[in-house]
Amino acid sequence: MTTTERPTAPTATRPAPPHERGTPGYRRLGIALWLSGMATFVLVYSVQGLLPTLSAEFGVSSSTASLVLSATTGTLALAVLPLSALTESWGRARVMTWALAASALLALLAPLAPTFETLVVVRGLQGIALAALPALSMAHLTHEVAPRHLGGAVGLLIAGNTLGGLSGRLVASWVAELGGWRAGLAAVGAVSVLATVAFRLLLPPATAPTPARSRLRDLGGPLRRHLTDRGLLCLFGMAFLLMGAFVTVYNYLGFRLLAPPFSLPGTLVGLVFLGYVAGSWASTRAGTLGDRFGRRPVLWVATVLALAGIWVTLPDLLVTTLAGLLMVTVGFFGAHSVASSWVGRRSAMLPGAVPAQASSLYLVGYYAGSSIGGALGGVAYDHAGWAGVTGYVSALLLGALVLALVLRRTPAPAV
């Protein structure tokens, strides 16, 4: 051994490169965050298929029954920005794990609720427990995946959301058909616990450094930067309008199919959520197409498809109703996949912006749309039936289309 050799610097201090598509780290990260998205949507939207059952069980209207969903999405919308910003410096992996674990525990308590009001409160607490998870998941992808693969990675995350929305609704509906709504919610809690364990075991170590600790007073500058960028405002507004439209369709379609002239049994009504399979495909496909051909045209086409789909559902024919539902689902998830990945990319180009906070603001719009938009959709259904839902959803999608067109004419920010 020569004495002139110099020791090399420890490689542990050098930041690791972001994950490239096809590498083991990319696959583990994708599957883990796919599971987190699945668990989030299992927990949040499993009650959607139970709304007619809860309405009959507690003797409340369809719009009142929807509060068990709106309570979760509403508290999530309120808490997502401060919690995701303040907890990111604690370590994204740790916070995401604790968020999933706490919400799964609350899911196991929900079936024990003695009254409708108690159930709404428990569901509201679930929204707070989950608040940091969606934004941190998007921020984690933005930091951990090579930029040229980000659209596809976000599409995979949203595909997990899609499968979670599907499996949560189907599990809750089918088990409830056999053992009541309490058994349905208990099954959802068990699925959430399993997803949490698998997520923690699969998530690879972070390649990006942990951000410095944040304080609420530090949020003002980046917040103003995000809220003064026209492109980001369009994306935030689209999140609200698209999600409000989508949740309204799935919230109240079950009531329509159970009533004349369809009069379908509950087990068959639960199968309409299989449309989420098409949404899972649309999420990954739209993200890839956006990376390849540009986000603007893909976002516009997906929004138009959803708008056309709601009108296809209007006739009292099962085949047109299901075809229109499929179009709405593919259009929504395609637009959401493109818009959510676009937020991180655009905010990263803005001086003084924080991608994690931009993702949080997008999710504020997204979950506020689910809570407020879904509740107002119930008012439309209570007063004017499915024709009222069609008009209401059309208005939301037309607003989203206007924003998509404005976004097409909005130049990229100067770096």
Side-chain angles (χ1 to χ4, degrees), residues 44-410:
V44 173
Y45 291 104
S46 57
V47 297
Q48 198 170 44
L50 300 178
L51 293 182
T53 301
L54 294 173
S55 176
E57 176 79 16
F58 292 105
V60 296
S61 68
S62 57
S63 55
T64 302
S66 70
L67 289 176
V68 296
L69 175 57
S70 296
T72 308
T73 54
T75 54
L76 200 160
L78 290 173
V80 62
L81 180 59
L83 284 184
S84 59
L86 295 177
T87 59
E88 189 174 15
S89 61
W90 301 352
R92 297 186 191 97
R94 182 184 299 113
V95 174
M96 288 188 289
T97 302
W98 279 108
L100 281 173
S103 55
L105 176 61
L106 287 165
L108 294 174
L109 294 177
L112 306 178
T115 64
F116 180 77
E117 292 76 14
T118 305
L119 180 61
V120 170
V121 170
V122 173
R123 294 278 302 167
L125 292 175
Q126 273 187 293
I128 297 173
L130 282 170
L133 180 62
L136 290 185
S137 296
M138 287 190 185
H140 199 65
L141 278 178
T142 301
H143 288 89
E144 299 292 316
V145 173
R148 62 181 171 275
H149 303 310
L150 184 59
V154 172
L156 186 62
L157 171 63
I158 294 174
N161 295 349
T162 308
L163 184 61
L166 168 62
S167 59
R169 291 162 170 90
L170 290 181
V171 167
S173 298
W174 289 348
V175 175
E177 194 72 18
L178 297 174
W181 67 270
R182 296 182 190 276
L185 291 184
V188 166
V191 170
S192 303
V193 170
L194 294 175
T196 301
V197 173
F199 164 81
R200 193 63 190 94
L201 293 176
L202 285 169
L203 189 69
T207 62
T210 301
R213 186 173 298 277
S214 298
R215 298 172 297 178
L216 282 176
R217 71 179 69 175
D218 300 326
L219 302 182
L223 185 63
R224 286 191 297 272
R225 189 71 184 96
H226 296 137
L227 295 180
T228 54
D229 179 73
R230 187 173 71 171
L232 286 178
L233 287 176
C234 287
L235 292 167
F236 301 155
M238 287 194 72
F240 179 90
L241 295 169
L242 288 168
M243 191 56 174
F246 180 72
V247 164
T248 294
V249 171
Y250 273 93
N251 270 6
Y252 306 105
L253 183 61
F255 289 95
R256 182 192 185 195
L257 295 178
L258 288 169
F262 298 102
S263 301
L264 297 179
T267 49
L268 289 182
V269 170
L271 292 177
V272 301
F273 295 114
L274 288 172
Y276 269 54
V277 175
S280 180
W281 170 84
S283 299
T284 54
R285 187 61 179 161
T288 304
L289 289 174
D291 289 340
R292 184 176 179 183
F293 297 110
R295 297 173 181 83
R296 288 177 174 85
V298 176
L299 185 59
W300 186 82
V301 169
T303 306
V304 170
L305 179 64
L307 179 59
I310 189 59
W311 284 96
V312 175
T313 69
L314 186 57
D316 287 333
L317 297 171
L318 187 59
V319 63
T320 57
T321 299
L322 296 181
L325 180 68
L326 193 65
M327 293 170 65
V328 170
T329 304
V330 170
F332 165 75
F333 277 104
H336 171 47
S337 177
V338 172
S340 57
S341 65
W342 200 343
V343 166
R345 292 292 297 273
R346 187 174 182 91
S347 64
M349 300 171 68
L350 289 172
V354 179
Q357 189 183 100
S359 295
S360 298
L361 286 168
Y362 178 86
L363 291 169
V364 169
Y366 181 85
Y367 286 108
S370 179
S371 180
I372 300 171
L376 292 177
V379 176
Y381 181 77
D382 287 341
H383 286 81
W386 196 252
V389 167
T390 300
Y392 171 73
V393 168
S394 296
L396 295 181
L397 292 175
L398 282 171
L401 183 58
V402 169
L403 292 179
L405 292 173
V406 171
L407 193 59
R408 289 189 68 180
R409 295 168 172 81
T410 302

